[in-house]
Amino acid sequence: MGSQCYIACAARENPFKGILQTLEKPDRYGSGDFGHFYCLPALNDPQILLESEIRNCDEFQVKAEDGEKILDWEKTSKNQVEIPFKPARVLLQDFTGVPSLVDLACTRDAINRLGGDPDKINPVIPVDLVIDHSIQVDVARSETAVKVNMELEFHQNKERCAFLKWGSNAFCNMLIVPPGSGIIHRVNLEYLGRVVFNKDGVKYPLGPNGLEPICNPKV
């Protein structure tokens, strides 16, 4: 909890606020606007990575010089430089997502023992966790196969399912898709994938998606 307070105190005003523009509504939608966005063409370099650096720049975790490294990529690409990156969203499946959820739960437990507020421990970046590597095929060639396999899954992994159910309600900024909903690729493509995100009225793109490129925005 102390580190959170330090981060909040150390963060400063975004030095790139000058390129924050308003997305006006066309006349047919009435008056007003759809929100705001960081106009990268104003910097002559419309890249997803640069957009993330500019939007998250707080001169603490992400600094203005990090954006300058991207703008000057022809020089910096020849050197070993580090650039912090905060994606719009993190997509996880069982093997990576469940251990991450355990880490978050353990951190909350530690904060609680120290007398802090465990509810303050949440993913900083939105997380979609799809449980799709769980159900095994014990019954096949039957009209009731899906139902029986689902029942066996929830019975055999009762504690695991209860933990995931708790996590889906306990943490902010996290969506957990339960077993039996489909494989992560299909769930992401048909339900979770979105081109534009909105946070506090600021619009920003999803960014690179290695699973389903069709979900990627055109930049």
Side-chain angles (χ1 to χ4, degrees), residues 187-203:
V187 173
N188 181 50
L189 184 61
E190 296 183 358
Y191 300 102
L192 302 178
R194 45 206 186 275
V195 175
V196 178
F197 283 72
N198 179 15
K199 182 179 180 181
D200 300 328
V202 176
K203 314 291 184 180

Side-chain angles (χ1 to χ4, degrees), residues 98-173:
V98 174
S100 299
L101 188 59
V102 171
D103 286 344
L104 286 169
C106 291
T107 304
R108 279 197 171 189
D109 187 52
I111 292 295
N112 185 58
R113 290 199 304 270
L114 293 172
D117 183 3
D119 290 339
K120 290 185 177 181
I121 303 300
N122 292 288
V124 175
I125 296 171
V127 176
D128 291 336
L129 170 55
V130 182
I131 309 300
D132 72 335
H133 288 70
S134 184
I135 298 177
Q136 63 183 20
V137 180
D138 293 294
V139 178
R141 297 183 180 182
S142 169
E143 293 182 355
T144 61
V146 174
K147 180 177 182 295
V148 173
N149 286 322
M150 287 285 294
E151 290 175 348
L152 287 172
E153 158 65 17
F154 287 113
H155 175 71
Q156 295 169 350
N157 296 297
K158 182 169 60 176
E159 291 184 355
R160 182 172 183 265
C161 293
F163 175 65
L164 291 169
K165 180 67 175 179
W166 168 81
S168 67
N169 296 317
F171 293 99
C172 300
N173 234 12

Side-chain angles (χ1 to χ4, degrees), residues 48-62:
I48 291 291
L49 183 59
L50 178 61
E51 189 279 335
S52 174
E53 298 300 299
I54 290 175
R55 175 168 40 83
N56 292 294
C57 186
D58 57 5
E59 290 295 1
F60 179 62
Q61 291 182 314
V62 181

